[in-house]
Amino acid sequence: MTSAILTRFTQPEYTGENRCLPCTVVNVGIAAAGSALLALWSPFVGLAAFVASALIIYVRGYLVPGTPELTKRYLPARIHRLFGTHGPAEPTAKGPIDIEAELTAEGIIVDDSEDLTLNPSFHAAWDNAIARVSEESLMDSLSAFLETDQPLLIEEDGTRTMVFADGAPAGNWESQAALIADVAAHQTLISRFPNYLEYDRETRARMVGAVRMFLEACPTCGGDVEIGEEVVKSCCRAFDVVAFSCRDCGVRLAEFELLEAEPA
């Protein structure tokens, strides 16, 4: 009964995979401050108020009505980037491993002095791998990519393609076409990059994401890929992105945020 009530009042657009950490932190802070004031009058009432507020934040995503709009308007972009929420991952590595340099050293990415491109033989092998990822083989390919033997479920909400392993979030992509491109890139890197499997899973995910930026045709319909700048809006912010989309079916294949230059 309790579970059914919680499910009824849950807002999926603001909870789970879609939970906004800035919104959550702001609301928990407000709940803590209000409960502390009540605790001056009665510790029991203050504790009860905080527990009730925390439950509301958990099932609704926020406590104060209008929080998404307030954080979108007033919370600085650098704070959003600090939390790493509601924005696509940056296309270049910031950690100790330079993804572009690693793929270039292996001859997978080629710098022709004018632009970066994929090695033609790698691209051909990747295209062949994409063609082999059928509806029947997708789950097996995805299990290998995620390194799990748990039952997988793919769900789409119109803006993202989410994957769950035994009910737990395991990853999300811009679309199922992007997912297919990644599992095929994973298979191709295994055969073309001798040390690929020696990297940790996060680094390998960044490598296949970098490869996906070179898609020329949509993995699901074969349409040409076009690149453009767009403004993407989430529950609590808006940001400019470079978007890679299929010209024919319109699915989003990749995107990365155009970061503001930090003041000198």
Side-chain angles (χ1 to χ4, degrees), residues 83-205:
F83 282 100
T85 55
H86 298 296
E90 295 177 45
T92 55
K94 288 186 175 294
I97 297 176
D98 186 327
I99 299 299
E100 179 183 313
E102 293 293 305
L103 294 176
T104 301
E106 290 295 325
I108 294 168
I109 292 179
V110 179
D111 188 348
D112 63 3
S113 76
E114 292 185 1
D115 199 2
L116 296 176
T117 62
L118 274 188
N119 180 301
S121 65
F122 180 91
H123 210 315
W126 181 31
D127 286 340
N128 288 334
I130 288 174
R132 291 196 302 270
V133 179
S134 64
E135 185 174 342
E136 291 76 20
S137 69
L138 177 57
M139 286 304 187
D140 288 338
S141 300
L142 186 55
S143 294
F145 178 54
L146 296 176
E147 297 180 332
T148 180
D149 56 3
Q150 300 292 333
L152 298 179
L153 174 66
I154 298 176
E155 291 187 356
E156 300 188 56
D157 66 359
T159 60
R160 306 290 295 182
T161 294
M162 296 163 288
V163 176
F164 298 87
D166 197 25
N172 69 87
W173 283 261
E174 289 86 347
S175 63
Q176 184 159 314
L179 186 160
I180 291 172
D182 278 7
V183 298
H186 174 72
Q187 295 168 358
T188 310
L189 284 165
I190 289 175
S191 63
R192 297 290 180 121
F193 188 164
N195 299 325
Y196 170 69
L197 291 177
E198 295 179 9
Y199 292 95
D200 61 75
R201 179 176 159 188
E202 179 182 353
T203 300
R204 296 201 305 269

